[in-house]
Amino acid sequence: MQAMAATRVRGLTGRLSDGATVDIELSTGTGVCRVQRVEPHTAATSGIGETDWIDLRGFVLTAAAAEPHAHLDKALSWPELNPPLGDLHDAIATWQEGSPRLDEQSFRRRATQATTAMLANGITAVRSHVDVLPGDDPLRAVRVLAEIREALQGLMTIQIVVLAGPFTPTAVIESALDAGADLVGGAPHIAEDPLAEVNRLLTIAEKRGTGVDLHIDEFMDGDHLTIEAYADRVADWPRERIRTASHCSRLATLPPADLDRVAAALADASVAVIALPITNLYLQGRRGASAGRRGITAVDVLRAAGVLVAGGADNIRDPFNPVGRADPFETASLLVTAAHQTPHVAADLVTDSARAVLGLEPAGPRVGARADFLAVRGTDIVDVIAGAPPDRVVIVNGTPVACTETTSWTTAFVAPPSYIP
């Protein structure tokens, strides 16, 4: 791979998701860098060999990935908290017991490590839920994330959702917004009165003029569905105001007629849904009537109804999930194998659709789009999702900001005569 300086480039040559090699010319000058031209690769159209042109033949180009649902305050806390394996209830209990021991330095170190890994893997936009913590300083994680957001300006877009518990006072939620949170969040399904909690959180958002991203119906058995009330309440909101429902595991076990009704309501209210396969596969289906079943929301039905759906990674090595690589292709692979999405749809859910859920403009290899790219060594999108190669180049606003190169060797192997490649 050629050496790259962290300066804006004029163009690049690489493969589209279908394997076709193209030349992509970018706009010059100041401000937002955009794609000016995408044409089949020829010697006449490429600038290969010029210092301001990147040769990425052998790499698949997509829009830069986005992570629509993270918990950067919890990320990488598994070693510090040493939680037992368990379900959602167990994970919440571990976090509530252990988080008071985590100081600002812990939050800063772990969130910085997580965002650095995300950027290297091609994620240039993140929406992170951040807890209101127990103790005398409940907003210390919000403050740290606001600092990291400022430090990463120009490299990564970070949206902060204040994750309020049922007993978090309204005044503290508003203080979190004052301290830098962008959106109101919470988990109404764990409240004693879930519908009242939905309305409380939405009232705060309406008062403050902010968007909302709620953990919605993160369970598989039960009748305390809140998602329809959520959709009904936000249906008249301004179209540009964010309204997102994350998890929605109960939709996977709803009777078909009920699911169709809910999906139509979500589409009418412009509520986006985020599927979170890795954490919901880990936490859900451990016990009860749905033991052994999977907790991923009903992606196909929602998309068919016109609901904007994205895929996210959720937790990274914390009490809610002991694994996770901060890699969009880990999420995409799980969407293929566990949610039965095609590779091309899975890639869209972690790139274009994920950016749309965050309210960001289109990016990637299309004329007029913002020049934010993820380039991954491979032949096509199936190869990239299957192998998740570490060799990657990340471009933000026409400027290379991260590059990973690997080397490997294997002992020589002489195939037997009967071997057929």
Side-chain angles (χ1 to χ4, degrees):
M1 192 186 307
Q2 70 194 73
M4 285 175 283
T7 57
R8 184 175 290 185
V9 298
R10 182 172 61 88
L12 54 152
T13 299
R15 290 173 171 157
L16 299 179
S17 60
D18 62 3
T21 302
V22 295
D23 297 317
I24 301 173
E25 186 176 352
L26 308 180
S27 63
T28 58
T30 60
V32 177
C33 183
R34 300 192 181 279
V35 174
Q36 298 287 89
R37 176 176 62 87
V38 180
E39 295 183 2
H41 169 63
T42 66
T45 60
S46 78
I48 291 176
E50 300 178 17
T51 57
D52 59 354
W53 194 282
I54 305 178
D55 182 1
L56 292 172
R57 288 174 293 180
F59 286 73
V60 175
L61 298 171
T62 70
E67 176 48 71
H69 188 110
H71 290 266
L72 292 175
D73 57 335
K74 298 181 175 73
L76 307 172
S77 63
W78 181 278
E80 294 185 53
L81 301 180
N82 192 28
L85 298 179
D87 60 11
L88 180 61
H89 177 270
D90 299 321
I92 291 173
T94 296
W95 178 253
Q96 289 178 339
E97 187 278 329
S99 59
R101 303 195 302 269
L102 304 178
D103 58 14
E104 285 194 12
Q105 182 178 358
S106 171
F107 288 112
R108 187 175 294 106
R109 172 179 52 79
R110 292 181 292 98
T112 298
Q113 185 178 345
T115 51
T116 299
M118 287 176 170
L119 187 61
N121 284 330
I123 296 170
T124 65
V126 180
R127 179 183 294 170
S128 178
H129 298 253
V130 182
D131 275 48
V132 176
L133 298 163
D136 297 332
D137 188 8
L139 302 183
R140 60 189 183 280
V142 173
R143 292 197 306 272
V144 168
L145 263 293
E147 292 173 10
I148 292 174
R149 176 179 59 194
E150 181 71 20
L152 288 174
Q153 275 193 343
L155 297 174
M156 177 181 285
T157 298
I158 296 180
Q159 297 176 358
I160 299 172
V161 186
V162 52
L163 182 52
F167 300 106
T168 303
T170 295
V172 175
I173 299 174
E174 296 199 13
S175 294
L177 295 170
D178 294 335
D182 304 292
L183 306 170
V184 173
H189 56 277
I190 67 173
E192 290 184 4
D193 187 338
L195 293 180
E197 181 67 355
V198 168
N199 285 316
R200 179 177 81 109
L201 296 171
L202 295 180
T203 296
I204 296 170
E206 289 168 346
K207 174 184 175 182
R208 297 294 296 255
T210 68
V212 173
D213 187 336
L214 298 181
H215 290 56
I216 288 287
D217 301 334
E218 193 180 352
F219 58 89
M220 299 175 70
D221 302 308
D223 58 2
H224 52 294
L225 202 67
T226 61
I227 195 166
E228 285 187 283
Y230 179 22
D232 182 64
R233 177 72 181 266
V234 302
D236 294 331
W237 278 15
R239 288 299 174 186
E240 67 277 5
R241 186 179 298 175
I242 289 171
R243 72 295 297 270
T244 306
S246 294
H247 291 288
C248 305
S249 300
R250 181 66 173 96
L251 296 186
T253 55
L254 277 185
D258 293 338
L259 176 57
D260 288 341
R261 183 187 71 248
V262 170
L266 293 171
D268 289 344
S270 298
V271 176
V273 171
I274 302 176
L276 299 162
I278 190 167
T279 295
N280 285 144
L281 287 170
Y282 173 71
L283 292 176
Q284 301 296 324
R286 288 181 175 267
R287 56 176 67 102
S290 291
R293 297 183 68 176
R294 310 286 63 192
I296 305 174
T297 195
V299 176
D300 284 334
V301 173
L302 293 170
R303 282 170 47 85
V307 177
L308 174 60
V309 179
D314 206 354
N315 303 89
I316 303 172
R317 291 174 246 169
D318 65 25
F320 296 77
N321 171 27
V323 293
R325 302 195 305 264
D327 186 346
F329 294 115
E330 179 179 39
T331 300
S333 179
L334 288 168
L335 287 167
V336 172
T337 57
H340 295 166
Q341 301 303 295
T342 69
H344 285 275
V345 169
D348 171 86
L349 294 177
V350 299
T351 56
D352 295 327
S353 290
R355 289 181 60 88
V357 167
L358 270 61
L360 303 176
E361 63 178 314
R366 68 196 77 177
V367 174
R370 182 182 168 95
D372 291 359
F373 298 93
L374 169 56
V376 187
R377 190 178 293 281
T379 57
D380 56 29
I381 200 65
V382 177
D383 182 39
V384 164
I385 292 176
D391 287 47
R392 305 184 188 192
V393 177
V394 185
I395 297 171
V396 175
N397 201 31
T399 301
V401 299
C403 175
T404 302
E405 297 182 82
T406 60
T407 59
S408 65
W409 65 269
T410 304
T411 300
F413 169 69
V414 178
S418 61
Y419 175 74
I420 301 176

